[in-house]
Amino acid sequence: MSVLQLEDRRDAFAWASHFRDIFHACLTARGDALFELTDALLCVEGPVTTPVDLTLTAEHRRGHGAMYDALNRGRIDTVRLGRLLAALPQPTAAHGRLVLAVDVTNWLRPDAPCSPERLFCHVYGRSGRASDQLVPGWPYSFVAALESGRTSWCQLLDAVRLGPTDDVAEVTAVQLRRVVEHLIAQERWREGDADILIVCDAGYDAPRLAYLLDDLPVEVLGRLRSDRVMRRPATRTTALPQGGRIPKHGPEFRLAKSETWGEPDAATVQATERYGLARTMAWDHIHPRLRHLSAWIDHNGELPVLNGTLIRLEVDHLPGDATPVPVWLWSSRTGLTCTDIDIRWQAFLRRFDLEHTFRMIKTTLGWTRPQLRSPEAADSWTWLVIAAHTQLRLLRAAAADLRRPWERPAEPGRLTPARVRRGFRNLRPHLACPARAPRPSHPGPGRPLGSKNRQPATRHDVGKTVKRADTFGEHVRLRT
């Protein structure tokens, strides 16, 4: 082992021990039980199938009753834990700049009528069906820092459960603002650095996110639906023949009609290994036409003009047999050069690394396995999974490649999260373990033998409880 590898191992153990000490301090109630439950997540053999199996590991020194009591009554200081996650070494994905990805994944609970605050979650073709479905569950919005290159790693920074009364754009803006402020406070972003790039998919309103985060050093890059209609900047030539002031919006830019595009302000062609030639065209100062409807119905005063750069990405082929479809991106920055455009679409492709993390925490760490009734217990379990995944990321430089006989050897520094987890039990004795030993106790008497539970659980409806007005007249009627 080289001297450089030894230094990486020492740094990995130091950062992981530091994280575990402060993480234990963030567990304000039932902290020892929650901490040992997190260790059991990482030390159990194979994928996590149910939380009660974790109590059988040697790392969990308490009974199954203590585990359920910790999930139902434990408390986690998520604000302090968020600051701790932001203070860790952050990966960079776009030429040394921070890139944050935001996405929603669902914890499906179709057979839990007694669990409150469930929403209808959009899923793709479950149970062999080709059509999409809406299944009751808890949707969670995650924010993660992305790395460069092809990898299955990212740093989870925050998670928020979307409730029946929440507006997705507003909740996401508050979540991103909290993460960015933590990064600035922990000096992971300093004055003079490039703006933090936020990438999101078509399910988010990128112009609205850019408007809500306008006072922060961020740039929003989001995918647009291919049927969107944008607007060009207004000029004096677009004024009415009879005179008057210059209109706010110029001619239409229909993404589905090439005759409305005109000549691009910039175009690039780049050869890639997985997609063949990647061709991009960009148009500057393109904005959506906003109206006092839907999300902007509560806006006071004149609606803003949110100018940005529209990018069209087209590739020769996709991995597998998928047919490539042009991708439309909108950036909240104007005046981008050809180099800037290539950096944007490459950073957007890194957003799909978050899907690997979702698959890992669901299938390996068992994030959606527990049949928890209360959403508060689900939130606590979610933060425990984030803490477990973070420890794997901190220790990947110190882990050995414990591969199966049929698996290929991994390159140094290229271990996947699942392979790092296989060796966590060997690394744990070298880490700080602040959890105290359990005190001997006796179980309570419980319900008297033969008695029945005469307090049935309350059943809750599924879906939104707040209806947004579609027209301004309906908005006025709802307010009065």
Side-chain angles (χ1 to χ4, degrees):
M1 183 179 295
S2 65
V3 176
L4 184 59
Q5 289 176 328
L6 287 174
E7 290 295 331
D8 291 341
R9 286 177 60 88
R10 294 193 188 98
D11 292 342
F13 285 126
W15 275 109
S17 296
H18 172 72
F19 175 83
R20 289 165 63 87
D21 282 333
I22 304 183
F23 169 62
H24 182 266
C26 296
L27 307 176
T28 56
R30 272 69 171 185
D32 294 335
L34 292 174
F35 188 88
E36 290 188 354
L37 181 60
T38 308
D39 275 359
L41 267 174
L42 298 172
C43 295
V44 68
E45 292 291 337
V48 176
T49 56
T50 176
V52 72
D53 290 341
L54 301 178
T55 62
L56 302 178
T57 62
E59 290 75 17
H60 194 281
R61 298 173 293 180
R62 290 161 173 82
H64 63 279
M67 182 270 298
Y68 283 115
D69 182 69
L71 286 178
N72 292 320
R73 301 187 180 183
R75 295 293 180 267
I76 303 177
D77 188 350
T78 57
V79 176
R80 184 178 180 183
L81 183 53
R83 289 197 298 264
L84 172 61
L85 294 173
L88 299 175
Q90 300 298 325
T92 56
H95 294 266
R97 72 188 301 177
L98 283 170
V99 179
L100 302 181
V102 56
D103 202 359
V104 173
T105 187
N106 303 315
W107 183 339
L108 300 181
R109 299 300 312 277
D111 301 323
C114 298
S115 296
E117 301 184 11
R118 292 182 303 159
L119 299 178
F120 287 106
C121 304
H122 183 266
V123 296
Y124 296 92
R126 297 178 71 241
S127 302
R129 301 182 182 179
S131 60
D132 301 343
Q133 302 178 62
L134 293 176
V135 180
W138 289 317
Y140 277 83
S141 174
F142 283 85
V143 176
L146 303 180
E147 296 191 359
S148 59
R150 293 176 57 189
T151 178
S152 56
W153 290 96
C154 66
Q155 174 60 62
L156 295 175
L157 296 175
D158 195 82
V160 171
R161 177 175 46 83
L162 303 177
T165 61
D166 293 335
D167 179 79
V168 177
E170 294 180 357
V171 172
T172 305
V174 173
Q175 183 183 19
L176 289 170
R177 180 179 296 276
R178 179 171 59 249
V179 171
V180 172
E181 290 177 349
H182 287 337
L183 292 172
I184 295 175
Q186 301 298 329
E187 296 186 353
R188 293 302 170 184
W189 184 93
R190 296 182 178 87
E191 193 70 30
D193 293 347
D195 288 348
I196 300 174
L197 186 60
I198 297 174
V199 294
C200 56
D201 206 4
Y204 293 90
D205 190 350
R208 190 180 177 204
L209 280 179
Y211 175 78
L212 295 174
L213 302 174
D214 183 58
D215 58 326
L216 295 176
V218 299
E219 174 187 349
V220 178
L221 177 68
R223 184 168 69 94
L224 301 180
R225 292 175 47 178
S226 58
D227 58 352
R228 284 287 298 268
V229 178
M230 308 293 282
R231 289 284 183 158
R232 294 182 179 274
T235 60
R236 293 187 178 276
T237 58
T238 58
L240 298 176
Q242 58 270 28
R245 69 179 182 87
I246 299 176
K248 291 176 59 178
H249 310 287
E252 288 185 345
F253 191 108
R254 294 182 175 269
L255 275 58
K257 294 186 177 180
S258 58
E259 58 269 18
T260 64
W261 298 351
E263 291 296 325
D265 296 317
T268 65
V269 179
Q270 191 173 18
T272 63
E273 180 182 354
R274 291 171 56 84
Y275 309 105
L277 288 180
R279 306 174 184 86
T280 62
M281 295 187 293
W283 293 266
D284 204 6
H285 287 84
I286 303 296
H287 63 271
R289 181 176 181 178
L290 305 179
R291 299 182 179 180
H292 279 98
L293 299 174
S294 187
W296 297 92
I297 200 167
D298 290 325
H299 184 81
N300 296 323
E302 189 175 4
L303 291 172
V305 177
L306 306 175
N307 283 316
T309 301
L310 188 64
I311 303 172
R312 183 180 186 269
L313 171 63
E314 187 177 9
V315 298
D316 289 341
H317 55 81
L318 295 175
D321 299 330
T323 303
V325 178
V327 176
W328 290 92
L329 306 175
W330 184 87
S331 171
S332 60
R333 289 290 179 267
T334 58
L336 299 180
T337 63
C338 293
T339 303
D340 296 333
I341 294 170
D342 287 337
I343 292 175
R344 265 62 178 182
W345 69 260
Q346 291 171 8
F348 177 79
L349 293 183
R350 296 272 61 82
R351 188 197 68 82
F352 296 97
D353 296 340
L354 188 56
E355 301 295 335
H356 298 290
T357 302
F358 289 158
R359 187 183 302 112
M360 191 269 174
I361 65 176
K362 287 182 178 181
T363 60
T364 303
L365 296 182
W367 172 50
T368 58
R369 289 291 186 176
Q371 303 297 317
L372 302 175
R373 175 178 294 181
S374 68
E376 293 77 17
D379 295 343
S380 299
W381 175 258
T382 301
W383 280 103
L384 296 184
V385 172
I386 292 177
H389 183 270
T390 302
Q391 294 182 58
L392 295 179
R393 177 179 170 269
L394 294 175
L395 290 171
R396 62 176 169 170
D401 186 10
L402 303 180
R403 64 185 183 90
R404 303 290 188 250
W406 55 85
E407 294 176 341
R408 295 180 179 179
E411 300 177 2
R414 298 288 297 176
L415 292 179
T416 62
R419 288 201 188 185
V420 175
R421 179 173 174 266
R422 291 176 189 171
F424 183 83
R425 177 168 283 175
N426 301 329
L427 303 175
R428 184 175 177 269
H430 305 282
L431 302 174
C433 294
R436 296 164 296 183
R439 298 178 180 177
S441 61
H442 299 282
R447 187 182 301 126
L449 185 64
S451 63
K452 296 182 179 180
N453 182 12
R454 303 187 182 278
Q455 297 180 353
T458 305
R459 294 176 176 264
H460 302 271
D461 295 331
V462 183
K464 290 285 187 179
T465 57
V466 175
K467 184 180 182 299
R468 178 185 292 168
D470 296 328
T471 62
F472 188 75
E474 184 180 357
H475 174 67
V476 173
R477 288 194 299 271
L478 291 175
R479 294 186 62 179
T480 56

